[in-house]
Amino acid sequence: MDTLNILAFGASRNIGYLSAVRLLENGATVTFLLRTPAVFDKDALIQRHLKSGKARLVKGDATNEADTRRAWEEAGVVDAWPILVNFFAGIDLLCVGGVPSFSISKGMTINPHNLVTQCVLNVLCSMPTYNNAPQPRIIAISSIGLSPAGHKALPCLMKPLYSMLDSDGGPHKDKVGLERVLYHCAGWAWEPTIEEPGADIMGEGWMHRPGLPPSGTLKRVLVVRPAWLTDGKCVADEVQATGKGKSYRVSQEELGGYTVSRRDIAHFVVDALTRWDEFENKHVNVGY
């Protein structure tokens, strides 16, 4: 872990922040792209790593491709860049602000409604090509319940909540866009049961954007689909310390679980980097 060089988008709080802290504490170097670097001014832990040179802050916005390009340049040769995004992980999604709202007619929405999709396109279009180093490992945080099979596997009490997220303008439409971009660039067959996201999410001609990795050329991808996120403790840490209890579950199959804590997803992100051969080019569900 002490040799890892991480470029983190959406890591000012919650899953992104918790993952970055774990990585820093394990000796990795983490470069953050932040709209407001002052968010860490009173964070003693981040300040300590800034003084050691292990944490680096780049001011910018992932909705701006020039800013994502500058983040890549500032980070240097990157081992991994987690796209640490989830609607319930906080309002900052891929370093861009969006305020969620709810209405009877539209359910849960966020503005702009394609925030995450457009940011991941910017990040990929600005990703450098390394001459003598492998591609960065890519970890993207999505959500369970995006497909009909995933929705069917949800506990009955959770289905109405996820239906609100699936509404037009809802955050799950944006998560489908995120996954569609990664599936295309990785050369994965798009899941036939999931409706192809429209131009309102993807943008016109998105597959032909300059700099976007051609289909099949993105080789080191992991899509993480957490259950409903909570602010609970890290169960995995407690299990490891005491040898008692059960940790979160990880599976490529639908889990049908209720929840998982943000701290446990951060634990999994870091653990996946240490066991990368098990998770490369997969999408996994994580929950209790």
Side-chain angles (χ1 to χ4, degrees):
M1 189 68 69
D2 58 346
T3 62
L4 284 184
N5 186 26
I6 306 293
L7 177 55
F9 299 90
S12 64
R13 65 186 80 185
N14 296 306
I15 293 176
Y17 174 80
L18 294 167
S19 300
V21 165
R22 279 185 172 271
L23 289 160
L24 287 166
E25 293 290 271
N26 280 292
T29 297
V30 180
T31 300
F32 299 81
L33 179 65
L34 301 166
R35 288 181 299 115
T36 310
V39 69
F40 290 149
D41 281 357
K42 296 182 180 180
D43 188 314
L45 190 151
I46 296 295
Q47 289 300 315
R48 172 164 59 85
H49 288 293
L50 284 169
K51 290 178 182 178
S52 73
K54 286 293 187 179
R56 298 180 292 194
L57 310 184
V58 178
K59 181 177 175 56
D61 190 325
T63 60
N64 184 316
E65 187 176 331
D67 285 354
T68 59
R69 190 177 307 280
R70 185 160 47 83
W72 283 110
E73 293 169 354
E74 293 283 342
V77 178
V78 170
D79 294 296
W81 59 274
I83 318 175
L84 298 165
V85 295
N86 194 287
F87 181 72
F88 295 105
I91 294 175
D92 273 0
L93 304 180
L94 272 174
C95 305
V96 287
V99 179
S101 60
F102 173 79
S103 72
I104 298 296
S105 60
K106 295 184 179 180
M108 193 73 72
T109 62
I110 195 163
N111 185 38
H113 66 286
N114 62 350
L115 190 69
V116 175
T117 302
Q118 293 307 308
C119 288
V120 74
L121 283 166
N122 285 340
V123 170
L124 287 171
C125 287
S126 61
M127 184 176 69
T129 300
Y130 302 129
N131 292 326
N132 298 308
Q135 285 182 345
R137 287 171 280 183
I138 298 168
I139 300 177
I141 309 297
S142 184
S143 176
I144 65 169
L146 298 184
S147 69
H151 195 276
K152 184 178 180 180
L154 292 169
C156 290
L157 292 177
M158 305 299 287
K159 289 181 179 180
L161 297 172
Y162 279 82
S163 293
M164 289 191 296
L165 304 179
D166 292 336
S167 62
D168 289 339
H172 270 192
K173 298 292 186 182
D174 201 7
K175 291 300 179 61
V176 172
L178 164 71
E179 293 202 12
R180 185 67 187 94
V181 172
L182 293 174
Y183 270 57
H184 168 74
C185 294
W188 302 349
W190 183 237
E191 298 188 22
T193 60
I194 303 180
E195 182 180 354
E196 187 83 20
D200 62 316
I201 297 291
M202 309 301 297
E204 295 287 352
W206 66 273
M207 289 185 182
H208 306 291
R209 278 187 54 168
L212 187 70
S215 181
T217 63
L218 205 61
K219 299 297 186 182
R220 311 177 81 195
V221 180
L222 169 62
V223 176
V224 182
R225 296 170 175 171
W228 189 277
L229 289 164
T230 74
D231 286 323
K233 62 188 176 183
C234 182
V235 175
D237 281 345
E238 289 195 353
V239 171
Q240 185 174 357
T242 65
K244 299 178 181 179
K246 295 181 179 180
S247 185
Y248 53 79
R249 297 176 293 155
V250 180
S251 176
Q252 288 190 273
E253 305 299 325
E254 301 297 342
L255 291 175
Y258 278 89
T259 64
V260 68
S261 76
R262 295 178 176 90
R263 288 176 174 82
D264 272 319
I265 293 299
H267 180 281
F268 174 70
V269 166
V270 178
D271 187 50
L273 286 171
T274 65
R275 299 190 291 142
W276 186 253
D277 288 346
E278 296 179 40
F279 298 109
E280 183 174 86
N281 293 327
K282 292 181 180 178
H283 52 76
V284 296
N285 300 292
V286 185
Y288 298 140

